[in-house]
Amino acid sequence: MATLPEFRWRLAPDGYATRRQLRAMDLRPGGQDVAAVVHRPRRRREPLVAYLYRIDQAKPVRPMTPGRTAALAKAMTARRTCPNCHRDAGYCIPGSLGMCVPCHDSPNT
């Protein structure tokens, strides 16, 4: 098994990017394997690790289709709807509360 090239934080050569950096360039890894690893040392904890992909092998981001747009809208509506009062809260319901803030704060519950 071949080992991946490892670089220290901010010392990776040009031509490599993380998933977020690829996405900012409207690219995606496109099925390629991880090409390199970046380590960021931290005190008293294990280092942070970031996986790098080659930019020249990246593919363009797939366009949003009407079906994917509708599915995303439906999922976001479900995350914003309070299961207690069944109203759109206007924000994503926190998992720690399980309901909108007014329902959680009201003494009737």
Side-chain angles (χ1 to χ4, degrees):
M1 181 173 154
T3 60
L4 295 174
E6 294 184 11
F7 304 106
R8 288 191 50 90
W9 188 252
R10 298 185 187 261
L11 295 178
D14 292 336
Y16 292 102
T18 63
R19 283 182 178 267
R20 285 187 180 199
Q21 291 168 336
L22 288 176
R23 185 61 190 209
M25 295 183 265
D26 288 332
L27 297 172
R28 61 185 169 94
Q32 65 174 301
D33 292 330
V34 174
V37 179
V38 173
H39 292 280
R40 179 179 181 188
R42 299 190 298 177
R43 294 181 199 192
R44 299 185 204 103
R45 290 190 283 178
E46 68 279 349
L48 291 176
V49 177
Y51 299 110
L52 301 176
Y53 300 91
R54 294 187 44 178
I55 295 174
D56 59 347
Q57 293 180 358
K59 296 180 180 176
V61 174
R62 294 182 185 125
M64 284 291 278
T65 63
R68 289 173 75 190
T69 304
L72 182 61
K74 187 175 179 181
M76 290 306 294
T77 301
R79 288 184 68 192
R80 295 166 54 114
T81 303
C82 176
N84 202 23
C85 64
H86 304 290
R87 285 185 278 174
D88 185 350
Y91 53 86
C92 290
I93 305 294
S96 60
L97 300 179
M99 60 186 75
C100 65
V101 175
C103 288
H104 183 265
D105 290 344
S106 69
N108 297 337
T109 354

